[in-house]
Every structure is written in C-alpha cells, then in structure tokens.
Amino acid sequence: MRDINYTVKNDVIFNYLFSHKDILKDFLEACLKEKLDILDVMNQFSLKRAYYDQKIGVLDIRVKVNDDKLVDIEMQRGKEKHFVKRILLYTGAFIRGQLEVGDKYEKLKNTVMISIQEHSMFKGTEDYHTVWKLKDEVHPELGNLEGLEIHFIELEKFRKANPDMHEKLNQWLALIDTEDKERVDVAMKENSKVKEAINKVDDFMSDEEAKEIVRLREKWQMDYDSSIASAKEDGYEEGHEKGRAEGHAEGIKKGKLESQIKIAQKLLDENFEIEKIADITSLSKDDILKIKK
C-alpha cells in the first residue's frame, strides 16, 4: 500500500496538482462526463501566490475549456452555515467578471462551478455528486436554461459509500479525499493519471519551501476549525445557560443573542473577516462593526 503522509484536500496541494492541464483534463472529463479541450488555466499555480493566498484562505482553480465554457473548482474543508448562498454569490461574481463595460452579452461563456466539500451538505440523499441546473418547475420538458451548472461533491458521503472504483470520477475522489489508502491504491492501478498525480505531489512535497507552505495552510485550517469550535462552545454554553436560568422565551432569545455576540467577539480577536463572522453568527455586518468598536 502506498504511504501517503499528506492530503490532497490541502488547498495548496490541490491547487498545485490541478494546475497541470493533463491531470485537470482527466478529472474534469470524469466530473462533467464529456470530452474537453482545455485551453487555459486562468490562475496558474505559483509558490508565491500559494503563500499569499493561504493566509487569507482563498484558493481555487479557474480554467477555460472548449472555447465556450469557464469552470471554477474549489476545495472547501470548513463547514459553512450559508454555503449555498456563498456559492451563488461567487457564481454571480464569476459570471459578471467576464464582461467589461460596453461588452455584448454574447461574449458570456457557459459557467460551471465545481464545489468539492469535506462535509455532507444535502440531507435526504446519499448521492455524493449532485448537479444543479436551471429549469422550469412546471415544464421540465423544456430542458435546462443554458449557461450555468453547479456541481457539489460531498467527500464525507463518498467516504461512507461503496463506490464503483472502475469509474474515473471515483478514482479521483479517492485521491482527493486521501482517507482510504486502499481506494487510492486501486485508483492508481486503474488510472495512470492518478498515479502520475501522486508522483507529482511526491516531488512537490520534497521541496522544503513547498512543504512549509503546505504546513502553514494546514495550521491555518486547524486554527480556523479550533477558533470556530471554541467560540461556539464558549458562546453557546454561556448564552444557553442564561436562557435556561430565565426560563422563558425571552430569556432564550436573549441568551442566544448574547452567545452570538460572544462568538463574534472571539472571532474578531482571531482577525476573522467581517463577512465570515456574519455567516457564522447570523449577525448583521453593522452589528459586528459595533461590537468591534
């Protein structure tokens, strides 16, 4: 069994690996179920960019394919309360960013968002790969409204499933998840590109500077998870205790608000962005700015 002491879920490794066009092409063809001609990776990987981006938690891959399609791929390890709204916001910005003032709409390319999530998101289905498109709810026979599709891949569900490892997408998901070493071994045997990908990451991780940036990204992720967990634990325990002590609806409401404020204060101390704190606590940006003052 291949000894792998890293996870491809690490944003730096993920971004480095899928900046290679042949590897990216193999993954995308498996995910989108079509033959692709990758024309351009729009934000090419570099250690300098990875070092900067790992500090603010922003790493994704954007690529032009088939001359008529733009694809954005992100690896999301944190569990976010409003992940759908965030994806919709990013998608809208991605689409809007294609045009300059005065450009014609015909310049817009079809947009595909692929969000690979560490955690489960959608209840009611065990499917770990779902594809969302626009269509009329009364007349679905009219087909999909062209121009947009969003893919969600839930690795937690994939991990619990019994996937057919002869399918190429499952081979790539086994590598990205990196949790089940037996599945990774099977993927390597079934898919030469997966084997090539592992060799490339091994070479990448032999570089001391790259290894340090990967370590910093892991530390950022652990600090983020720890801060969220600690803030919620401290805030909710204190807030709920006050709510229970007062023993009625107003007390619970007050306790919940106090817990949200306490969480916001703790995250401000950790230098989290205002938008991120708003997502986590459900407080308004104005309220958070007041807390900050």
Side-chain angles (χ1 to χ4, degrees):
M1 187 178 300
R2 184 70 172 264
D3 182 26
I4 299 177
N5 57 3
Y6 52 78
T7 175
V8 178
K9 288 178 290 192
N10 179 288
D11 285 345
V12 177
I13 296 176
F14 184 90
N15 194 274
Y16 162 77
L17 181 59
F18 289 104
S19 67
H20 295 85
K21 290 185 179 181
D22 57 337
I23 290 173
L24 179 60
K25 181 175 184 291
D26 201 72
F27 166 73
L28 283 178
E29 287 183 343
C31 186
L32 303 181
K33 295 185 169 69
E34 61 177 295
K35 289 293 182 182
L36 301 174
D37 177 22
I38 294 179
L39 300 180
D40 182 36
V41 178
M42 298 163 64
N43 47 352
Q44 277 288 347
F45 176 85
S46 70
L47 281 177
K48 182 177 181 180
R49 173 179 172 249
Y51 176 73
Y52 172 75
D53 286 352
Q54 64 83 21
K55 295 189 292 183
I56 59 174
V58 179
L59 281 171
D60 62 357
I61 299 165
R62 293 187 171 184
V63 56
K64 294 179 183 178
V65 297
N66 292 4
D67 202 33
D68 66 346
K69 188 176 298 183
L70 293 179
V71 181
D72 185 287
I73 310 168
E74 69 157 10
M75 177 69 239
Q76 178 67 27
R77 297 175 73 183
K79 194 170 187 177
E80 298 213 13
K81 181 179 179 182
H82 303 294
F83 69 91
V84 172
K85 290 182 179 180
R86 182 178 63 79
I87 287 293
L88 291 175
L89 178 63
Y90 285 5
T91 302
F94 190 32
I95 295 172
R96 178 64 185 88
Q98 295 181 40
L99 297 183
E100 301 290 342
V101 175
D103 285 345
K104 296 181 178 180
Y105 294 125
E106 63 190 37
K107 288 187 63 177
L108 278 177
K109 298 183 183 296
N110 294 330
T111 300
V112 179
M113 300 292 293
I114 301 176
S115 180
I116 304 173
Q117 301 275 338
E118 167 76 29
H119 303 282
S120 297
M121 302 177 300
F122 301 114
K123 297 179 180 179
T125 177
E126 295 180 354
D127 293 340
Y128 47 83
H129 179 203
T130 53
V131 184
W132 302 73
K133 299 180 180 181
L134 299 174
K135 64 172 58 180
D136 183 75
E137 62 181 357
V138 178
H139 300 288
E141 69 276 6
L142 294 176
N144 301 313
L145 200 63
E146 292 185 4
L148 175 65
E149 62 182 78
I150 302 175
H151 294 243
F152 288 104
I153 296 174
E154 302 166 76
L155 292 179
E156 186 175 36
K157 287 183 180 178
F158 171 77
R159 206 173 300 134
K160 296 176 180 178
N162 183 28
D164 180 357
M165 291 305 297
H166 295 297
E167 292 188 9
K168 187 172 286 189
L169 179 60
N170 293 334
Q171 295 160 8
W172 282 111
L173 296 186
L175 175 61
I176 293 169
D177 190 45
T178 332
E179 298 288 336
D180 190 323
K181 300 302 187 287
E182 291 185 3
R183 286 183 181 176
V184 175
D185 278 350
V186 172
M188 287 176 59
K189 294 173 183 176
E190 293 277 336
N191 190 335
S192 62
K193 287 298 177 184
V194 171
K195 184 176 181 178
E196 179 185 339
I198 291 177
N199 291 334
K200 285 185 181 297
V201 176
D202 286 344
D203 290 342
F204 177 70
M205 291 296 289
S206 67
D207 181 273
E208 290 301 320
E209 184 180 4
K211 189 183 297 184
E212 177 63 10
I213 292 174
V214 169
R215 185 192 69 79
L216 288 172
R217 179 58 180 168
E218 283 299 300
K219 182 179 183 300
W220 183 93
Q221 188 67 49
M222 288 189 291
D223 288 348
Y224 174 86
D225 293 341
S226 177
S227 296
I228 296 297
S230 176
K232 287 186 175 180
E233 182 179 347
D234 292 347
Y236 280 118
E237 281 185 4
E238 182 174 325
H240 286 180
E241 185 62 36
K242 289 184 178 181
R244 286 194 295 270
E246 296 186 29
H248 52 75
E250 187 61 32
I252 294 173
K253 181 179 179 181
K254 181 180 178 182
K256 182 178 180 182
L257 177 60
E258 289 177 352
S259 75
Q260 291 170 318
I261 292 172
K262 189 173 181 67
I263 291 170
Q265 289 172 330
K266 195 171 185 69
L267 295 180
L268 284 168
D269 291 341
E270 296 283 347
N271 295 319
F272 275 64
E273 295 179 355
I274 299 297
E275 291 79 3
K276 182 71 69 175
I277 297 174
D279 277 344
I280 293 168
T281 63
S282 297
L283 294 171
S284 71
K285 293 180 183 178
D286 288 341
D287 286 339
I288 295 169
L289 289 173
K290 290 177 183 177
I291 296 169
K292 186 175 182 179
K293 292 178 180 180

